[in-house]
Amino acid sequence: MLRITCPYCGERDYVEFGYGGDAENTMPELSDTDIGRWADYVFFRNDPKGEHAEFWHHQHGCRQWLRVVRNTVTHEVISVRPASETDAPTQGKQVEVA
Amino acid sequence: MADIRSALGSVYKAGPLGTPRDFPGVTLQEQSPRNLIQLSGWPDSFGAICESIAARLGIRVPVDCLTVTTHDDVSILRVGPTRLWFVCGASSARVRAFTETLGAGDAVTTEIGHSRTVLRITGSEARTVLNRGLPIDLDDRAFPENVFAQSVIHHIPVLVHRLPSSDGPAFDVYVSREYAVSFWEWLVEAAAPLGGRILESA
Ligand SMILES: [Zn+2]
């Protein structure tokens, strides 16, 4: 069972989320002409056993993109934050109703 | 604007539901079409938009996601950090007039009333029937009145709003029109063992 605590919606079941791929893969500068760096970017992924940063989309909740650090062995979710910190205005944080 | 027509049509039949019991466990009712306006803004300017909504429409925008504020016949649902739903009665013209003053650089507004079917679920077993598909804790402490959640039921995206009610738990469920019939069939099947009734559409 995988649950992700969305910064806006709280703890939710994974069925509400869509996986958005590796968040550690950074695109080279467009002016970069090094074929090796582009090949790395386009074709190669790390496959870590342990913590891994990845994008998840809360597609059936608040529709926000999140950057989740997850343990690929245990499915423990270590951290969740908005994929772009600019998506996190001072208002609109998680509701606290308890 | 063209009238909004029910997506359920002949599938919707008022009458008793499932096993007769001493008390109706669940009451289902399709709601009249809603004037529903979605407003999406940008992080840098969203605070200013919220302030102008308060000033021009007299409604405080909910600070937290998943909460609702209501003034007269307009409710604002904060469906995301920079996204709102205006659920309007007859005041929709006032809300529309306001949104028309906004430029594309401020916010994007979209009429989505035609795209949603709204079903009201009440009764002592309302939570039970919802939780047969909804992975959300509906206990009073976790899900009090005027809180809502966007989630999935039976793989169908829904928005479930707990209404203020002095008569037991009451929920409005917003379902995409294209899934309305499929969702309705699921709902009737899930509710039947609990007993209840289907009211004429509001
Ligand atoms: Zn969320």
Side-chain angles (χ1 to χ4, degrees):
Chain A
M1 180 60 75
L2 178 61
R3 286 196 175 140
I4 297 173
T5 301
C6 171
Y8 306 106
C9 305
E11 186 183 14
R12 295 295 183 90
D13 193 76
Y14 83 101
V15 297
E16 295 182 8
F17 297 86
Y19 182 71
D22 190 342
E24 292 171 350
N25 191 29
T26 46
M27 192 173 88
E29 289 293 320
L30 285 175
S31 56
D32 192 336
T33 54
D34 186 286
I35 196 74
R37 277 195 289 274
W38 279 104
D40 269 355
Y41 170 68
V42 175
F43 298 110
F44 295 103
R45 296 290 179 274
N46 295 327
D47 186 16
K49 183 177 177 182
E51 292 185 13
H52 184 232
E54 46 203 29
F55 291 119
W56 287 79
H57 185 215
H58 198 184
Q59 61 191 16
H60 296 308
C62 59
R63 276 72 171 169
Q64 300 299 299
W65 279 96
L66 307 172
R67 187 180 191 277
V68 176
V69 177
R70 177 180 65 98
N71 187 308
T72 58
V73 180
T74 63
H75 283 320
E76 182 193 358
V77 172
I78 291 106
S79 69
V80 186
R81 63 177 177 81
S84 163
E85 288 295 348
T86 58
D87 285 338
T90 51
Q91 287 197 335
K93 292 289 187 187
Q94 176 188 342
V95 59
E96 289 190 28
V97 293
Chain B
M1 195 167 63
D3 289 342
I4 305 175
R5 297 180 61 183
S6 167
L8 296 175
S10 61
V11 179
Y12 191 91
K13 290 188 181 71
L17 176 64
T19 322
R21 288 168 46 138
D22 298 342
F23 56 91
V26 184
T27 301
L28 309 178
Q29 187 183 39
E30 183 189 21
Q31 300 298 289
S32 58
R34 296 279 163 88
N35 286 302
L36 194 53
I37 299 167
Q38 177 174 278
L39 182 151
S40 296
W42 281 270
D44 292 343
S45 56
F46 201 69
I49 298 279
C50 293
E51 278 167 29
S52 58
I53 290 168
R56 296 277 306 279
L57 296 174
I59 317 169
R60 191 174 54 82
V61 173
V63 173
D64 294 316
C65 289
L66 317 185
T67 57
V68 183
T69 51
T70 302
H71 184 70
D72 294 336
D73 61 348
V74 179
S75 291
I76 302 181
L77 282 64
R78 191 158 189 148
V79 295
T82 59
R83 191 171 301 147
L84 307 174
W85 275 15
F86 291 88
V87 182
C88 323
S91 295
S92 60
R94 213 158 60 88
V95 175
R96 255 179 224 116
F98 166 74
T99 59
E100 279 163 14
T101 66
L102 301 171
D106 302 318
V108 174
T109 54
T110 316
E111 297 268 354
I112 56 173
H114 290 256
S115 74
R116 294 294 187 284
T117 291
V118 186
L119 302 167
R120 183 159 297 173
I121 305 179
T122 55
S124 58
E125 302 286 356
R127 287 189 186 97
T128 313
V129 68
L130 277 169
N131 275 148
R132 288 188 168 171
L134 183 72
I136 298 284
D137 184 355
L138 297 178
D139 185 85
D140 280 333
R141 285 163 298 181
F143 205 73
E145 292 178 356
N146 262 334
V147 156
F148 68 91
Q150 296 169 96
S151 187
V152 278
I153 292 179
H154 194 53
H155 299 281
I156 295 170
V158 291
L159 184 152
V160 180
H161 175 195
R162 178 155 179 203
L163 304 165
S165 163
S166 56
D167 189 28
F171 303 90
D172 270 354
V173 181
Y174 293 73
V175 190
S176 292
R177 182 183 182 88
E178 59 266 45
Y179 294 120
V181 170
S182 178
F183 180 80
W184 178 251
E185 286 169 351
W186 174 86
L187 181 61
V188 168
E189 196 159 297
L194 303 165
R197 59 211 158 114
I198 300 171
L199 304 181
E200 294 289 348
S201 296

